[in-house]
Amino acid sequence: MTQDGRRLRGLRSREAILEQAVGLASVEGLDGLSLGRLATATGTSKSGFFAHWRDKEQLQLDAVEWAARQWTEHVVAPALRAPAGVRRLFALHEARLTFYDDGVLPGGCFFFTVQAEFDDRPGAVRDRVARSMREWQEFIRRQVAEAVALGELAESVDPAQLAYEIDALGEMVIIHSRLHGGPDSLRHARRAVLQRLRALCPDPALLPEN
């Protein structure tokens, strides 16, 4: 096998492990990651793990990076195909709900699980999780601010406040859907944001009625 072939094989192995790690962490948290369990799940030897990661903390950090990339691909990228303004803002919320509804991760949301796990544990992993959460919330805030600038949301709208509300409604889906089951939490979260945006939009026809 050529050097390029070995490098490609190594990259595929690493990404398969990270995909499995993020799925497991969405249920059990990052501390629940076991090298032995991941090795079995991915068909990788323990020595193969050490070729990619020097210790568990580095695996955890790389899992956060992989989860952030996954979120961008499944949630952010689809929303960016919608027209800028209030339609993109609502598309972002809908893409998030679709991510949960499709069961991409067995635990629903990687970041919901790990932010609760590391919120009071100083260190590199906490810092990386916190940065991902700040970047996500700032992204929502920018979409709100752009909608205001385009005249598609009232000038009185506080971008930080509305972004907080939208994010909180999306996050609540994880708790309600996991504990109570059924599609009601998704419907309620979608309707709550839609009604909020329509009430603040000078031209509600830009958004669905229900």
Side-chain angles (χ1 to χ4, degrees):
M1 182 180 292
T2 66
Q3 184 175 356
D4 286 346
R6 286 193 296 270
R7 186 180 297 113
L8 180 60
R9 182 178 176 183
L11 179 61
R12 287 174 176 168
S13 170
R14 181 179 184 277
E15 294 205 339
I17 294 168
L18 288 173
E19 182 176 13
Q20 190 72 31
V22 168
L24 288 172
S26 74
V27 178
E28 301 176 10
L30 285 169
D31 264 356
L33 294 181
S34 158
L35 295 183
R37 184 175 176 185
L38 282 171
T40 300
T42 58
T44 306
S45 66
K46 288 188 178 181
S47 61
F49 268 87
F50 290 110
H52 297 298
W53 295 284
R54 63 180 182 271
D55 54 36
K56 186 174 181 177
E57 181 179 77
Q58 189 58 54
L59 172 61
Q60 292 174 331
L61 289 168
D62 287 348
V64 178
E65 294 284 352
W66 202 96
R69 190 180 77 182
Q70 180 188 58
W71 187 259
T72 297
E73 290 175 356
H74 284 266
V75 179
V76 175
L80 289 176
R81 292 195 286 268
V86 72
R87 286 166 290 183
R88 180 175 294 171
L89 183 59
F90 186 57
L92 185 65
H93 184 62
E94 287 200 301
R96 179 183 194 168
L97 299 183
T98 298
F99 180 84
Y100 297 153
D101 194 33
D102 286 348
V104 177
L105 294 175
C109 183
F110 171 89
F111 287 103
F112 181 83
T113 301
V114 302
Q115 68 176 318
E117 182 183 17
F118 281 88
D119 60 356
D120 58 356
R121 294 170 57 181
V125 178
R126 179 191 183 278
D127 292 345
R128 183 61 187 89
V129 171
R131 177 158 66 89
S132 288
M133 301 306 299
R134 285 195 303 271
E135 289 172 350
W136 164 243
Q137 289 153 10
E138 174 59 20
F139 182 76
I140 304 174
R141 192 203 65 78
R142 288 200 305 271
Q143 305 317 303
V144 176
E146 186 169 27
V148 173
L150 290 169
E152 295 185 2
L153 286 175
E155 292 183 1
S156 59
V157 168
D158 178 345
Q161 176 64 35
L162 184 55
Y164 181 90
E165 294 172 18
I166 292 171
D167 189 35
L169 285 164
E171 193 169 84
M172 188 59 66
V173 170
I174 298 299
I175 302 172
H176 281 206
S177 62
R178 307 299 294 181
L179 285 175
H180 306 300
D184 286 351
S185 59
L186 289 161
R187 268 200 313 271
H188 292 325
R190 181 182 185 277
R191 187 183 305 149
V193 170
L194 178 59
Q195 291 177 348
R196 185 85 170 103
L197 294 178
R198 283 179 63 86
L200 295 169
C201 182
D203 182 10
L206 290 172
L207 295 161
E209 291 185 5
N210 51 57

Short mmCIF file of all heavy atoms in Angstrom, two decimals, residues 163-198:
data_model
loop_
_atom_site.label_atom_id
_atom_site.label_comp_id
_atom_site.label_asym_id
_atom_site.label_seq_id
_atom_site.Cartn_x
_atom_site.Cartn_y
_atom_site.Cartn_z
N ALA A 163 -32.40 35.29 20.08
CA ALA A 163 -31.55 34.11 19.85
C ALA A 163 -31.58 33.17 21.05
O ALA A 163 -31.65 31.95 20.89
CB ALA A 163 -30.11 34.55 19.56
N TYR A 164 -31.58 33.74 22.23
CA TYR A 164 -31.65 32.93 23.45
C TYR A 164 -32.97 32.14 23.49
O TYR A 164 -32.99 30.96 23.83
CB TYR A 164 -31.53 33.84 24.68
CG TYR A 164 -31.57 33.12 26.00
CD1 TYR A 164 -30.40 32.67 26.59
CD2 TYR A 164 -32.78 32.86 26.65
CE1 TYR A 164 -30.43 32.00 27.81
CE2 TYR A 164 -32.82 32.20 27.86
CZ TYR A 164 -31.64 31.76 28.43
OH TYR A 164 -31.67 31.09 29.63
N GLU A 165 -34.06 32.80 23.16
CA GLU A 165 -35.37 32.15 23.20
C GLU A 165 -35.44 31.00 22.18
O GLU A 165 -35.93 29.91 22.50
CB GLU A 165 -36.47 33.17 22.91
CG GLU A 165 -36.61 34.24 23.99
CD GLU A 165 -37.57 35.35 23.59
OE1 GLU A 165 -38.37 35.14 22.64
OE2 GLU A 165 -37.51 36.43 24.21
N ILE A 166 -34.95 31.25 20.98
CA ILE A 166 -34.99 30.22 19.94
C ILE A 166 -34.14 29.02 20.35
O ILE A 166 -34.54 27.86 20.20
CB ILE A 166 -34.53 30.80 18.60
CG1 ILE A 166 -35.56 31.82 18.09
CG2 ILE A 166 -34.33 29.70 17.56
CD1 ILE A 166 -35.10 32.61 16.88
N ASP A 167 -32.95 29.30 20.87
CA ASP A 167 -32.07 28.21 21.29
C ASP A 167 -32.68 27.41 22.43
O ASP A 167 -32.64 26.18 22.45
CB ASP A 167 -30.71 28.79 21.71
CG ASP A 167 -29.67 27.70 21.94
OD1 ASP A 167 -29.69 26.69 21.22
OD2 ASP A 167 -28.82 27.88 22.83
N ALA A 168 -33.28 28.11 23.39
CA ALA A 168 -33.88 27.42 24.54
C ALA A 168 -35.04 26.53 24.11
O ALA A 168 -35.19 25.40 24.61
CB ALA A 168 -34.36 28.45 25.56
N LEU A 169 -35.85 26.99 23.18
CA LEU A 169 -36.97 26.19 22.69
C LEU A 169 -36.48 24.95 21.95
O LEU A 169 -37.06 23.87 22.06
CB LEU A 169 -37.88 27.03 21.80
CG LEU A 169 -38.75 28.04 22.54
CD1 LEU A 169 -39.31 29.09 21.59
CD2 LEU A 169 -39.91 27.31 23.25
N GLY A 170 -35.38 25.10 21.20
CA GLY A 170 -34.81 23.93 20.53
C GLY A 170 -34.23 22.94 21.52
O GLY A 170 -34.41 21.73 21.38
N GLU A 171 -33.58 23.43 22.54
CA GLU A 171 -32.96 22.56 23.53
C GLU A 171 -34.01 21.80 24.35
O GLU A 171 -33.81 20.65 24.73
CB GLU A 171 -32.06 23.38 24.45
CG GLU A 171 -31.13 22.57 25.31
CD GLU A 171 -30.10 23.42 26.00
OE1 GLU A 171 -30.41 23.97 27.07
OE2 GLU A 171 -28.98 23.54 25.46
N MET A 172 -35.14 22.45 24.61
CA MET A 172 -36.18 21.81 25.41
C MET A 172 -36.71 20.54 24.75
O MET A 172 -37.20 19.63 25.42
CB MET A 172 -37.32 22.80 25.65
CG MET A 172 -38.37 22.31 26.63
SD MET A 172 -37.70 21.92 28.27
CE MET A 172 -37.19 23.55 28.81
N VAL A 173 -36.61 20.47 23.44
CA VAL A 173 -37.06 19.28 22.71
C VAL A 173 -36.34 18.04 23.21
O VAL A 173 -36.95 16.96 23.34
CB VAL A 173 -36.84 19.45 21.20
CG1 VAL A 173 -37.08 18.14 20.45
CG2 VAL A 173 -37.76 20.53 20.65
N ILE A 174 -35.05 18.17 23.50
CA ILE A 174 -34.27 17.01 23.95
C ILE A 174 -34.85 16.44 25.23
O ILE A 174 -35.08 15.23 25.36
CB ILE A 174 -32.80 17.40 24.16
CG1 ILE A 174 -32.17 17.87 22.85
CG2 ILE A 174 -32.01 16.22 24.70
CD1 ILE A 174 -32.17 16.83 21.76
N ILE A 175 -35.12 17.30 26.19
CA ILE A 175 -35.65 16.84 27.48
C ILE A 175 -37.02 16.20 27.31
O ILE A 175 -37.26 15.08 27.74
CB ILE A 175 -35.74 18.01 28.48
CG1 ILE A 175 -34.36 18.64 28.69
CG2 ILE A 175 -36.33 17.54 29.81
CD1 ILE A 175 -34.39 19.91 29.49
N HIS A 176 -37.92 16.91 26.66
CA HIS A 176 -39.30 16.44 26.56
C HIS A 176 -39.43 15.20 25.69
O HIS A 176 -40.17 14.27 26.03
CB HIS A 176 -40.19 17.56 26.03
CG HIS A 176 -40.56 18.55 27.08
ND1 HIS A 176 -41.70 19.31 27.04
CD2 HIS A 176 -39.94 18.91 28.23
CE1 HIS A 176 -41.77 20.09 28.11
NE2 HIS A 176 -40.70 19.87 28.84
N SER A 177 -38.73 15.16 24.57
CA SER A 177 -38.88 14.01 23.67
C SER A 177 -38.28 12.76 24.30
O SER A 177 -38.81 11.66 24.12
CB SER A 177 -38.23 14.29 22.32
OG SER A 177 -36.85 14.51 22.43
N ARG A 178 -37.18 12.90 25.05
CA ARG A 178 -36.55 11.72 25.65
C ARG A 178 -37.35 11.20 26.84
O ARG A 178 -37.48 10.00 27.04
CB ARG A 178 -35.13 12.06 26.12
CG ARG A 178 -34.24 12.70 25.10
CD ARG A 178 -33.96 11.87 23.88
NE ARG A 178 -33.20 10.67 24.15
CZ ARG A 178 -32.85 9.81 23.19
NH1 ARG A 178 -33.21 10.02 21.94
NH2 ARG A 178 -32.15 8.74 23.48
N LEU A 179 -37.92 12.11 27.64
CA LEU A 179 -38.63 11.69 28.84
C LEU A 179 -40.08 11.29 28.56
O LEU A 179 -40.58 10.33 29.14
CB LEU A 179 -38.61 12.82 29.88
CG LEU A 179 -37.29 13.04 30.62
CD1 LEU A 179 -37.40 14.25 31.53
CD2 LEU A 179 -36.91 11.81 31.42
N HIS A 180 -40.72 12.04 27.67
CA HIS A 180 -42.15 11.82 27.45
C HIS A 180 -42.48 11.11 26.15
O HIS A 180 -43.57 10.57 25.99
CB HIS A 180 -42.89 13.17 27.49
CG HIS A 180 -42.62 13.96 28.74
ND1 HIS A 180 -42.91 13.48 29.99
CD2 HIS A 180 -42.05 15.17 28.92
CE1 HIS A 180 -42.55 14.39 30.90
NE2 HIS A 180 -42.02 15.41 30.27
N GLY A 181 -41.54 11.12 25.21
CA GLY A 181 -41.75 10.45 23.94
C GLY A 181 -42.78 11.16 23.07
O GLY A 181 -43.40 12.14 23.47
N GLY A 182 -42.93 10.65 21.86
CA GLY A 182 -43.93 11.20 20.96
C GLY A 182 -43.46 12.47 20.28
O GLY A 182 -42.46 13.07 20.65
N PRO A 183 -44.21 12.90 19.26
CA PRO A 183 -43.80 14.05 18.45
C PRO A 183 -44.26 15.40 19.01
O PRO A 183 -43.99 16.43 18.40
CB PRO A 183 -44.49 13.77 17.12
CG PRO A 183 -45.76 13.06 17.51
CD PRO A 183 -45.41 12.24 18.73
N ASP A 184 -44.97 15.42 20.14
CA ASP A 184 -45.54 16.68 20.62
C ASP A 184 -44.48 17.74 20.87
O ASP A 184 -44.69 18.91 20.57
CB ASP A 184 -46.34 16.45 21.91
CG ASP A 184 -47.68 15.77 21.64
OD1 ASP A 184 -48.04 15.65 20.45
OD2 ASP A 184 -48.35 15.38 22.61
N SER A 185 -43.35 17.37 21.44
CA SER A 185 -42.33 18.36 21.76
C SER A 185 -41.80 19.02 20.49
O SER A 185 -41.55 20.23 20.48
CB SER A 185 -41.18 17.71 22.54
OG SER A 185 -40.60 16.66 21.80
N LEU A 186 -41.64 18.25 19.43
CA LEU A 186 -41.18 18.82 18.17
C LEU A 186 -42.21 19.80 17.61
O LEU A 186 -41.86 20.89 17.15
CB LEU A 186 -40.91 17.71 17.16
CG LEU A 186 -39.67 16.84 17.43
CD1 LEU A 186 -39.77 15.53 16.67
CD2 LEU A 186 -38.41 17.59 17.01
N ARG A 187 -43.47 19.40 17.67
CA ARG A 187 -44.54 20.27 17.15
C ARG A 187 -44.62 21.56 17.95
O ARG A 187 -44.75 22.65 17.39
CB ARG A 187 -45.89 19.54 17.22
CG ARG A 187 -46.26 18.79 15.97
CD ARG A 187 -47.75 18.51 15.91
NE ARG A 187 -48.31 17.99 17.15
CZ ARG A 187 -48.36 16.70 17.45
NH1 ARG A 187 -47.86 15.80 16.62
NH2 ARG A 187 -48.88 16.30 18.59
N HIS A 188 -44.55 21.43 19.26
CA HIS A 188 -44.65 22.62 20.11
C HIS A 188 -43.48 23.56 19.87
O HIS A 188 -43.66 24.79 19.82
CB HIS A 188 -44.72 22.22 21.58
CG HIS A 188 -45.97 21.49 21.96
ND1 HIS A 188 -47.19 21.77 21.40
CD2 HIS A 188 -46.19 20.50 22.86
CE1 HIS A 188 -48.11 20.98 21.93
NE2 HIS A 188 -47.53 20.21 22.82
N ALA A 189 -42.28 23.00 19.76
CA ALA A 189 -41.09 23.83 19.56
C ALA A 189 -41.13 24.54 18.21
O ALA A 189 -40.76 25.72 18.10
CB ALA A 189 -39.82 22.99 19.66
N ARG A 190 -41.59 23.84 17.20
CA ARG A 190 -41.69 24.46 15.87
C ARG A 190 -42.73 25.58 15.89
O ARG A 190 -42.48 26.69 15.42
CB ARG A 190 -42.07 23.41 14.82
CG ARG A 190 -42.17 23.99 13.41
CD ARG A 190 -42.61 22.92 12.40
NE ARG A 190 -42.58 23.46 11.05
CZ ARG A 190 -43.56 24.18 10.50
NH1 ARG A 190 -44.65 24.47 11.21
NH2 ARG A 190 -43.46 24.62 9.26
N ARG A 191 -43.90 25.29 16.46
CA ARG A 191 -44.98 26.27 16.47
C ARG A 191 -44.62 27.49 17.32
O ARG A 191 -44.94 28.62 16.96
CB ARG A 191 -46.26 25.62 17.00
CG ARG A 191 -47.50 26.54 16.90
CD ARG A 191 -48.71 25.86 17.50
NE ARG A 191 -48.94 24.56 16.89
CZ ARG A 191 -49.48 23.52 17.54
NH1 ARG A 191 -49.82 23.63 18.80
NH2 ARG A 191 -49.66 22.38 16.90
N ALA A 192 -43.94 27.27 18.45
CA ALA A 192 -43.60 28.38 19.33
C ALA A 192 -42.68 29.37 18.63
O ALA A 192 -42.88 30.59 18.71
CB ALA A 192 -42.93 27.85 20.60
N VAL A 193 -41.65 28.87 17.94
CA VAL A 193 -40.74 29.76 17.23
C VAL A 193 -41.42 30.40 16.03
O VAL A 193 -41.26 31.61 15.78
CB VAL A 193 -39.46 29.00 16.80
CG1 VAL A 193 -38.61 29.86 15.86
CG2 VAL A 193 -38.65 28.61 18.04
N LEU A 194 -42.21 29.62 15.30
CA LEU A 194 -42.92 30.18 14.15
C LEU A 194 -43.85 31.32 14.56
O LEU A 194 -43.85 32.39 13.93
CB LEU A 194 -43.71 29.08 13.44
CG LEU A 194 -44.55 29.51 12.24
CD1 LEU A 194 -43.67 30.15 11.17
CD2 LEU A 194 -45.32 28.32 11.66
N GLN A 195 -44.63 31.11 15.60
CA GLN A 195 -45.55 32.15 16.05
C GLN A 195 -44.81 33.38 16.55
O GLN A 195 -45.23 34.52 16.32
CB GLN A 195 -46.48 31.60 17.14
CG GLN A 195 -47.47 30.57 16.62
CD GLN A 195 -48.33 29.98 17.72
OE1 GLN A 195 -48.06 30.15 18.90
NE2 GLN A 195 -49.37 29.25 17.33
N ARG A 196 -43.67 33.15 17.22
CA ARG A 196 -42.87 34.28 17.71
C ARG A 196 -42.33 35.10 16.54
O ARG A 196 -42.39 36.33 16.55
CB ARG A 196 -41.71 33.73 18.55
CG ARG A 196 -40.86 34.81 19.22
CD ARG A 196 -41.46 35.24 20.52
NE ARG A 196 -40.55 36.08 21.27
CZ ARG A 196 -40.66 37.41 21.36
NH1 ARG A 196 -41.64 38.05 20.75
NH2 ARG A 196 -39.78 38.10 22.07
N LEU A 197 -41.81 34.43 15.53
CA LEU A 197 -41.26 35.13 14.38
C LEU A 197 -42.34 35.84 13.57
O LEU A 197 -42.15 36.98 13.13
CB LEU A 197 -40.48 34.16 13.49
CG LEU A 197 -39.21 33.56 14.09
CD1 LEU A 197 -38.58 32.58 13.11
CD2 LEU A 197 -38.21 34.64 14.48
N ARG A 198 -43.48 35.19 13.38
CA ARG A 198 -44.56 35.83 12.63
C ARG A 198 -45.06 37.09 13.34
O ARG A 198 -45.40 38.08 12.71
CB ARG A 198 -45.71 34.84 12.42
CG ARG A 198 -45.43 33.81 11.32
CD ARG A 198 -46.60 32.83 11.16
NE ARG A 198 -47.80 33.53 10.73
CZ ARG A 198 -48.12 33.80 9.46
NH1 ARG A 198 -47.30 33.41 8.48
NH2 ARG A 198 -49.23 34.43 9.15
#
